[in-house]
Amino acid sequence: MEQAINKLASWYGVEQETLDDLAHDVAQAHSVDEMMRAKASYEVQHAKVETLLEAIRLVESTK
């Protein structure tokens, strides 16, 4: 179980970093079109991060 949690936590860290980068891209967009594309990518990445958090919680709850 610990190995699964550690692997998920590591994966979460990478995905969270990507999410932070995308948030920066949204904030630094130079046009509405660029901002909308960045925001769409951000939303997809946010869903990944939330799914990983749910998976971590699920594995922790089954320990």
Side-chain angles (χ1 to χ4, degrees):
M1 249 347 139
E2 281 302 312
Q3 189 177 17
I5 292 171
N6 290 339
K7 189 161 189 105
L8 285 168
S10 176
W11 188 12
Y12 168 80
V14 170
E15 296 298 332
Q16 182 62 50
E17 189 175 315
T18 301
L19 183 65
D20 294 343
D21 290 344
L22 288 169
H24 184 266
D25 291 349
V26 171
Q28 298 298 318
H30 297 291
S31 69
V32 172
D33 186 51
E34 187 179 322
M35 190 262 308
M36 294 302 289
R37 282 194 309 265
K39 188 163 172 50
S41 295
Y42 176 89
E43 292 298 325
V44 170
Q45 188 65 25
H46 185 267
K48 284 184 189 179
V49 169
E50 289 299 313
T51 300
L52 282 167
L53 280 174
E54 288 177 27
I56 290 168
R57 288 184 194 119
L58 177 64
V59 172
E60 286 177 338
S61 72
T62 60
K63 286 196 322 187

